[in-house]
Amino acid sequence: MLLGCLLALAAQAACADPPAPIPAPAPVTRQVLEFDTARSRFGFEIRTRLGQRIEGVFPRFEGRIEVLSDGRHQVHLRMFTRYVEIPGKNRYTGWMRGEEFFDSARYPVVEFDSVPYWPDVVDKGGGVQGRLILRGVSHPETLRVEPAECPRAGYDCDVVSRGNVQRGRYGMDSWQLALSDRVTFVLRARLSEAPKP
């Protein structure tokens, strides 16, 4: 009797519709906004102990913004130290690339990767936190974004941000009697045109 019931159940199962396959999860796509490096500028400022401002530039850098699935943004920056220069001052340029400052032979890239942030910081201004890697040393740092000067900041006007760094924390502690410990990184960013929907 029991055997007959089991055989009847097995026959019913064989005739039943097969279970629907479980759909694979949709791949998570992230939109990437690339910096327009031809229209963007990345530089830095440092002051002497006498108050003179020395301005430098990174002629070569890369930047992108990832738009995450929840709408937040995450910025990634890479600056190439072997090309850093103090315009019009060859001696200062050599010193900035040398062992006492960026040490470009050993550390050719400075990197900043932000934590996710809400994009309204670009319109209203505010802090974007992240991690800076400089001369092989990593510390949390904050980029301060200035309020936007136009409705489509990044396309019709620059997104301007500044980050103050204590160079001694990254092993750049030479010339303390002559130069301030604070280095201010200044980014004026434009994005490549947004993809059409």
Side-chain angles (χ1 to χ4, degrees), residues 33-99:
L33 307 174
E34 299 286 347
F35 279 41
D36 183 343
T37 53
R39 297 191 302 150
S40 302
R41 297 287 178 270
F42 208 125
F44 61 93
E45 301 171 356
I46 188 169
R47 290 188 179 272
T48 69
R49 296 294 184 187
L50 299 176
Q52 176 191 7
R53 184 172 64 182
I54 299 172
E55 296 184 43
V57 295
F58 291 96
R60 286 198 54 192
F61 68 93
E62 297 172 352
R64 72 182 193 279
I65 295 171
E66 288 187 66
V67 180
L68 307 182
S69 57
D70 63 2
R72 290 181 300 169
H73 289 184
Q74 195 167 14
V75 67
H76 305 279
L77 301 170
R78 289 165 51 90
M79 295 77 74
F80 300 99
T81 59
R82 71 180 59 183
Y83 302 99
V84 70
E85 61 183 54
I86 309 296
K89 299 184 184 293
N90 292 338
R91 186 167 62 89
Y92 282 13
T93 293
W95 179 67
M96 289 288 172
R97 294 177 186 177
E99 294 179 7

Side-chain angles (χ1 to χ4, degrees), residues 65 67 70-73 116-125 145:
I65 295 171
V67 180
D70 63 2
R72 290 181 300 169
H73 289 184
Y117 61 92
W118 293 107
D120 62 353
V121 73
V122 173
D123 298 320
K124 300 175 182 176
V145 182

Side-chain angles (χ1 to χ4, degrees), residues 131-132 134-135 137-141 164-173 176 181:
R131 183 155 292 273
L132 178 69
L134 174 57
R135 289 175 53 107
V137 180
S138 174
H139 286 295
E141 301 286 358
N164 293 321
V165 171
Q166 292 176 294
R167 62 188 180 95
R169 298 176 71 201
Y170 297 90
M172 299 160 53
D173 49 10
Q176 291 287 358
D181 188 51

Side-chain angles (χ1 to χ4, degrees), residues 5 12 42 64 70 82 87 90 113 126 184 187 191 196:
C5 289
Q12 280 183 342
F42 208 125
R64 72 182 193 279
D70 63 2
R82 71 180 59 183
N90 292 338
D113 295 299
T184 301
L187 173 62
L191 298 171
K196 301 294 187 287

